[in-house]
Amino acid sequence: MSRCETSSPLAQSPQLPISADGEPVFPEPWAAEAFAMTVHLHERGLFSWNEWAENLSRELHKPGRAVDGSDYFDCWVTALSAVLVERGVADADALLALQRSWQRAAEATPHGHPIELANDPLR
């Protein structure tokens, strides 16, 4: 089997959204960004890939998940946030405040316009 035919551990992840061709897909740009940040932090030595897989697996196996797997990357971001807090890279309260700010910005942004933190009416 050539290197091109070898599937990555990510591609074998349970409930990962896939295309009609069976390739992993990102449902939204933010999911691709979360993936890229995770890979970058792993490459910088913040955590091993096994540690990452364990954290993500914990999130993926929590009750209340979407049956269709549409919340896969929500679980990804939750797992990444937990790792960042655990390692002391980020503060849990700061992450929650930022999440709420993004939500307010999304709600205040007119349809068809880019969501920016500047759109948060409380900023």
Side-chain angles (χ1 to χ4, degrees):
M1 180 177 281
S2 75
R3 182 181 171 134
C4 293
E5 295 169 339
T6 304
S7 83
S8 73
L10 174 67
Q12 298 169 23
S13 183
Q15 299 178 349
L16 176 68
I18 57 171
S19 70
D21 297 332
E23 296 297 321
V25 295
F26 298 109
E28 300 287 338
W30 65 264
E33 291 172 0
F35 172 81
M37 283 189 285
T38 304
V39 171
H40 177 76
L41 292 169
H42 161 68
E43 289 173 346
R44 299 284 307 233
L46 187 64
F47 48 81
S48 72
W49 201 251
N50 284 340
E51 290 172 304
W52 168 249
E54 289 172 12
N55 278 289
L56 179 58
S57 180
R58 263 194 303 279
E59 288 302 320
L60 293 174
H61 288 93
K62 286 185 177 177
R65 290 277 324 281
V67 175
D68 65 358
S70 60
D71 61 348
Y72 182 88
F73 283 104
D74 293 319
C75 292
W76 186 287
V77 170
T78 300
L80 181 57
S81 297
V83 169
L84 294 175
V85 168
E86 178 183 302
R87 297 290 200 271
V89 174
D91 176 74
D93 291 335
L95 287 176
L96 182 58
L98 190 56
Q99 178 184 7
R100 289 178 177 158
S101 184
W102 275 110
Q103 184 62 43
R104 288 189 302 269
E107 292 167 359
T109 300
H111 180 74
H113 291 81
I115 300 171
E116 299 174 352
L117 277 178
N119 296 344
D120 176 359
L122 299 182
R123 276 193 167 248

